Amino acid sequence: MTIPASFIQELIARADVVEIVGRYVQLKKAGANFMGLCPFHGEKSPSFSVSPTKQFYHCFGCGVHGNAIGFLMEHAGMGFVEAVHDLAGQYGLQVPEDDASPEERARAAGQRQKQATLSEVLEKAGEAYRKQLRQSPGAIEYLKGRGVSGEIARQFGIGYAPAGWRSLASVFPDYDDPLLAESGLVIVGEADEGGDAKRYDRFRDRVMFPIRNVKGECIGFGGRVLGDEKPKYLNSPETPVFSKGRELYGLYEARAAFRDRGYALVTEGYMDVVALAQLGFPNAVATLGTACTPEHVQKLFRFTESVVFSFDGDSAGRRAARKALDGALAYATDVRSIKFLFLPAEHDPDSFIREFGADAFARFVSEATPLSRFLIEAAREGCELSSAEGRAHMASNARPLWSALPEGALKRQLLSELAALAQLSAQELGELWTPAATPRAPAPAPARAPAPFSEDDWDSRDQWFDEQSRAGPEKKRFKSFRQPPPPRPPPGGRRLPTSRADVAARLVLSNPAEWEALSHELHALLCDLPGDHGQLFAWLDSQAHEHGTQPWAALREGLRGLAFESLAVRVMTGPDGGPVGDAEGEQAADAARELRNVLDYMLDDLLKIQQSEAIAAVGSDPRALERYKALEVRRLELRNRLNSSSNSA
């Protein structure tokens, strides 16, 4: 289902980014903006700025920036659609969906309401469990014995489920409410002869760990027995709000620490996460009794570019690491780091740190096995590389692993390493694994528009034309001058400056009201530019007709997924990496003058090209000379205006 761009833009225009950010970050007024401590990296003095006029946030420390939707995506780890629905819900808006039937929309709305209701039920149970913990000496002693302080217990919302079969009956007046069973809090047994089904609490006499989603909402529980009874750990069942294959314990609490520490540490249990937070490693999360899935890895990479999986060094730990490798391969891009940490068989992270110290554990993490090495180890396991059969077996094992990697330098380097182990060249192994496709004829090179002349080129052209005009009716001499000369390379190897089309795009996007003030000729000039520039201006023209003047924050959302989105984002990114934003007051007036100046130069370039076309047509069009002179008059007017503008500046 797709969400109409017009609705996204309306949502951004209505949302208040200060209000949205302020729910997660303590903000203080500082001039026209608000400042606070950046939630995306650790800092002691505030460098995180939120602009109510531009509807943007920007951190001058780590460079992150965006609008209200972007903040929900970055801070809460939501997908784009989820963030739009969440933001719309906060402002009482119904999200339209272009290709959804009324039945599908009603079903989706019902599902969202169901999720909200179940989360409320689970939150109420979590509050009751926390109250019970304060009255349960046995549970308190267990947590103290594991080194968990009261502060950490509060941070993770740890509680206790009493030993009774129906303790929740004192929390929920209607113990027969179907929501209690649907949320996984209550188990409904077989019906007896009288037709009544037995109902009882799922969690009894267990320390309770609430499982939260990235928004901080309780979606399930994990319970651990106080002794050695089985099962030691018990999770909520799959529900409309909870899926073990997609959720990670501790993710909500660890998000900010990922950026502060530079990596996410994935462990195997709730107590690992809580103990690591207690011992100075708040960047730990845990899978929920299941193997690490691609959904887990994808969710982690919303918050960090580096993930370390921690496993026991025994055979079970190796098997779990192998499954994690399978889940991580598709996300192992060249800019991400994925490592595998194997602890000594007699240790978990908690016991290792208590015996050897936090610094030793940090060094152990830094020396963890990179994905590339673990992939090779997994491929060659059980293969005798001294024989051709063993090397072929290794290559067969490696092929699906290597194929799952995204294209990039890492994949190419691994091909070379695996080829060396197989005693083949990288080319031979690549041909073996990726048979050549049927060759296709190369695409024809795109036609290029003639480059505009420099002023020197046009001065010599004018002189040449005057000589030709005085020479009489010799028309053939014009034929050799149909195309302008190629542009001169910049002297000294310098980079070419930002193009005038880029500057015009930035000035219009940051001051969109100026679009209405431009003439039809200038609209046509910009919309007819080649490539992404012309498409961008044509899109802006359609947006102005459909929605009127919109701020950059709204335009930014409308650009998502369009071919020229990257162009717009590039020109609207300042030298410091922050967003340019909307021009205001005196700045807007200066931007308007700069826009007129740039457009005059661009119009002059266009007139030069039209003069070139007039010259080329002199031999066949009797009016070409007249057209050339009229264009020259217009160019003279433009030059005078540009000179006047330069002098006044």
Side-chain angles (χ1 to χ4, degrees), residues 306-310 337-341 365-371:
S306 181
V307 175
V308 178
F309 294 99
S310 174
S337 170
I338 300 172
K339 293 183 176 181
F340 296 83
L341 176 69
V365 169
S366 67
E367 296 167 0
T369 304
L371 176 141

Side-chain angles (χ1 to χ4, degrees), residues 332-354:
T333 65
D334 292 346
V335 297
R336 290 172 175 165
S337 170
I338 300 172
K339 293 183 176 181
F340 296 83
L341 176 69
F342 297 100
L343 293 167
E346 66 275 14
H347 283 294
D348 58 23
D350 180 17
S351 64
F352 186 95
I353 294 173
R354 293 185 186 280

Side-chain angles (χ1 to χ4, degrees), residues 539 558-566:
W539 178 81
L559 285 160
R560 288 192 182 277
L562 300 180
F564 40 88
E565 176 188 6
S566 59

Side-chain angles (χ1 to χ4, degrees), residues 42 74 152 246 248 315 354 363 404 430 522 604 616 619 644:
E74 288 293 323
I152 290 295
R246 291 198 297 268
L248 290 158
S315 58
R354 293 185 186 280
R363 286 195 301 273
L522 292 176
D604 188 47
S644 174

